[in-house]
Each structure stands twice: as C-alpha cells, then as structure tokens.
Amino acid sequence: MKQEIQGTVTKKTLPEKKTNLHIHGIWGNLPSEVSPFPYPVPEFDPASFPAPEYSFPEYWFFSPGILQLDLNIYRETMIKALIKEQSEDLYRLIKRVHFDGKYYRVKCVHSGGWEHCWDLAVRIQFFGKLQGLAFEPERAISRKDKKIIYRSLILVNPHELWDKELVERLWNLQERIEFLIAKILFHECIHVLISLGKTLPSGFGQTDIFLEFKEMLEFANSESLCPESCGVKSRLRNLAYLSPVFPEGSGRKPDKVPELYEFLVHEKYSIKKTDQAFGLSWSNRKVSRNYAKMAALEMGPCPESSKISWDKEVFRLHRDLKKLYDRIDDNQGFERERC
C-alpha cells in the first residue's frame, strides 16, 4: 500500500443511499449520510494506541467522552505525488479527483456510436476496522444522448495510524496520515482500474495494471495450478453447502465460487502490488487468513448448528489459499514472506 498527499477534509454528505453494491468482494449498503468532521477515532488495540506521553494538541481533542482526530491536516497534493511515484496509470485515475466525496469525470471514450464515461469519488473517514472499500461501479444509461456513465466510490479509512511499524517509519503525524492514505488509496484504485479494464469496450481500459492482473488470473486458472486452484474452489463449495439454503420458490442457489475465486486472486494481486510500492508487506499467511474468512462470509452466514464444521472449512480454505498464493509468487518471481 502507499502514502501521502494534499487535501482538505470535507464536511459534506455522501451521495444518496445505495443498496446492493458490490464492495470489494463484500455486499453491503452505502450509508446515505456520513458524520461531518472531526470523525471519531475507531477502537484501537491497546498495544497500538499512543502512549500518554505522545500529545499532539494541534490535532487531538476530546468531545463527549470520545477522542477525536481532525483529518484536515493531510495534503491532497502530497498523496497524489506519492502515488505518481509508483504508478502513472493510478495517478492519471485520481489526478482530477478531490477527496471530498464528490464525483469527478476520470475517463471518456467513444465506441460504436456510444460515449462511455467513468466517474470516481474518493472520501476519507474513519468507519471501523477495514482500511478501504472500493464499490463496484453503478451504471446509468441515456439512450437519448447515447451515453453510458459508470460511477465508482472509494472510501479510505486510515485507522491504523498507530501501527508500530508505521510509527517507527514515520514519527510525524501529518506525514504518517498522508502515507497511510496514499497506500490505502493506491490499493483501492487498483481495483477500480481493473474494473475499468473489464468494463470499458475492448482496448480502452487496458492499462499495465489490468494486463498484469489478467496474466495472474490466467495463471491462477491454468492447468499447471490445478491442484492449488481446485483445493481453494473445493473449500468454497463446501462452505456454500454449509450455508443456509434459499427459501422455497426463490430459485436455484447461484454458484458464487468462480466470482469469489477471482476476488481472492484479485486481492492477492492488489496487495502484492501495493506492498511493492509502499512496503509494510503482508505475508501470504496473513493475506490468506484474512481473506479466507471474508470469502467464507460472502459465501453465506455461518449457521449456528454447523459452526464447528464451518470453522474447520474456513481454516482449510486459509491453508489451501496460502498454497495457491505461494505458487503464484513462485510463478511471478515475487519474494515470498514467510512470517
């Protein structure tokens, strides 16, 4: 992931409430409204929260019993500069986007008599323990104007400001916030850029990042990786069997295995690409543990009656997913983190 840059944090609300959006592999609702600044600081692990002697009176204050941090100190230009150092494609994506939750036009192409436009919004705020969310694009079609508009939203949550490794690397709070925002935004923009490559007419969204991901996905689905890929897909199917069945009359339960398998490869690519750019790497063990649980929850809720079996399958998915990620690293020539 990556670091820094310019900006003023805004007090505006998010767009109107949206439902059933695919959030970076998680289904959920986009809140219709977000609290204005300053945002409450989320819960921290005691070991990662600053010791009492660390005081930043210009940034921190108390309000109705809640410690809060004013994120207005970050500089949007610095964040964009950090991203530009690592990827021109990602910089072009956010070059005209301000981090105020409003939509900005980032790309427009003409194909087959239609105009295809892509709008992107970025919002920075605390909202829990997820570092960031990239919502899959909503599509609006105007047959009269022969225009298709795609809208994507990225939420950035720099809540890990007191991570020990990050604090040791950047003592200055402003630089640390900028670095963390840039790293998270870099990661989420990779998801948007891949969506752009998959959605726009052929050839118009084929960035280096999209082509690299496509190559990794093809290898992950290749015959040479069959033992590892079949293991992961088998675990996903077992989790689907354990999840509650659809009510009668709702139709056949959809097969989510191919979609979730691609999601797991997608995350592997995005995390590795971000680690190469910003450091603070995640091991394949950590990535597989976190995303095995996420994929399992996306496959369906854990039924109380099958909790022991469900937990065992999640563990097996974590184990098989690590094997898959290790093989991908071997093929891509990545240095593998063992811890």
Side-chain angles (χ1 to χ4, degrees):
M1 299 178 151
K2 230 173 170 169
Q3 43 193 150
E4 339 172 326
I5 294 184
Q6 154 192 352
T8 23
V9 187
T10 110
K11 301 185 177 180
K12 305 193 187 254
T13 59
L14 283 174
E16 295 181 5
K17 187 173 183 180
K18 300 179 173 83
T19 57
N20 293 330
L21 292 176
H22 194 257
I23 310 175
H24 193 133
I26 308 172
W27 288 94
N29 297 333
L30 179 61
S32 59
E33 184 174 296
V34 179
S35 303
F37 279 91
Y39 295 118
V41 173
E43 293 182 7
F44 287 90
D45 185 284
S48 63
F49 199 79
E53 64 265 28
Y54 290 102
S55 63
F56 303 93
E58 67 271 38
Y59 305 135
W60 294 86
F61 61 95
F62 288 87
S63 172
I66 300 177
L67 187 62
Q68 295 182 320
L69 170 64
D70 187 350
L71 287 176
N72 278 299
I73 63 172
Y74 75 78
R75 297 162 293 177
E76 191 175 294
T77 51
M78 285 300 298
I79 294 168
K80 289 178 179 176
L82 286 170
I83 290 175
K84 186 178 182 181
E85 282 181 25
Q86 304 299 332
S87 172
E88 284 287 341
D89 285 336
L90 292 181
Y91 172 70
R92 281 193 291 270
L93 183 67
I94 61 165
K95 182 179 179 180
R96 298 181 179 87
V97 178
H98 296 293
F99 306 157
D100 54 9
K102 296 180 181 179
Y103 285 95
Y104 296 87
R105 184 67 40 88
V106 296
K107 193 171 183 72
C108 240
V109 298
H110 289 83
S111 176
W114 285 77
E115 186 179 17
H116 300 255
C117 299
W118 201 284
D119 294 347
L120 177 64
V122 174
R123 177 107 190 198
I124 297 168
Q125 66 178 82
F126 293 122
F127 57 85
K129 293 188 175 182
L130 288 174
Q131 290 188 339
L133 295 173
F135 291 77
E136 288 234 342
E138 287 192 323
R139 185 177 66 168
I141 301 175
S142 172
R143 299 194 179 280
K144 180 182 177 181
D145 300 327
K146 300 206 74 175
K147 181 180 287 189
I148 303 174
I149 299 175
Y150 303 91
R151 281 188 154 193
S152 296
L153 170 67
I154 292 175
L155 296 181
V156 176
N157 176 24
H159 74 91
E160 294 187 333
L161 284 169
W162 304 108
D163 175 80
K164 182 180 177 182
E165 188 177 355
L166 184 60
V167 172
E168 289 175 351
R169 180 169 176 172
L170 293 165
W171 283 91
N172 180 277
L173 182 60
Q174 182 184 45
E175 293 179 358
R176 198 186 318 151
I177 289 175
E178 291 168 350
F179 178 88
L180 191 54
I181 290 172
K183 182 177 181 181
I184 297 168
L185 184 56
F186 186 94
H187 176 99
E188 301 305 333
C189 281
I190 290 174
H191 291 293
V192 174
L193 211 57
I194 291 172
S195 290
L196 192 147
K198 292 167 63 177
T199 306
L200 289 182
S202 179
F204 289 109
Q206 293 194 353
T207 58
D208 289 344
I209 283 176
F210 173 73
L211 294 174
E212 284 176 0
F213 166 70
K214 188 177 177 182
E215 180 182 344
M216 180 181 286
L217 184 61
E218 286 174 355
F219 175 67
N221 284 309
S222 68
E223 192 174 320
S224 61
L225 212 64
C226 186
E228 291 79 10
S229 62
C230 288
V232 171
K233 291 173 183 177
S234 175
R235 300 307 174 193
L236 289 172
R237 289 192 181 92
N238 290 346
L239 285 163
Y241 297 146
L242 290 171
S243 67
V245 295
F246 283 10
E248 275 187 46
S250 63
R252 185 178 172 184
K253 193 170 185 179
D255 183 9
K256 300 171 73 174
V257 170
E259 175 190 354
L260 283 175
Y261 182 75
E262 180 172 335
F263 159 71
L264 292 168
V265 176
H266 193 155
E267 287 298 338
K268 166 62 181 172
Y269 174 79
S270 301
I271 289 170
K272 181 58 68 173
K273 193 77 176 176
T274 304
D275 287 350
Q276 289 175 327
F278 290 92
L280 306 177
S281 299
W282 279 22
S283 67
N284 284 337
R285 187 179 303 279
K286 182 176 180 179
V287 177
S288 60
R289 180 179 65 244
N290 288 3
Y291 283 96
K293 184 68 174 289
M294 191 178 294
L297 291 171
E298 174 67 6
M299 186 59 77
C302 168
E304 200 59 41
S305 59
S306 306
K307 189 174 188 317
I308 294 176
S309 297
W310 191 86
D311 286 340
K312 286 181 179 178
E313 278 308 314
V314 172
F315 174 77
R316 290 166 182 156
L317 175 59
H318 159 215
R319 182 190 59 197
D320 289 351
L321 191 55
K322 182 184 179 299
K323 293 177 182 177
L324 176 74
Y325 288 166
D326 286 346
R327 282 292 312 278
I328 289 174
D329 281 354
D330 291 341
N331 180 68
Q332 301 291 323
F334 291 140
E335 183 179 346
R336 198 186 300 171
E337 295 283 345
R338 295 289 183 181
C339 59

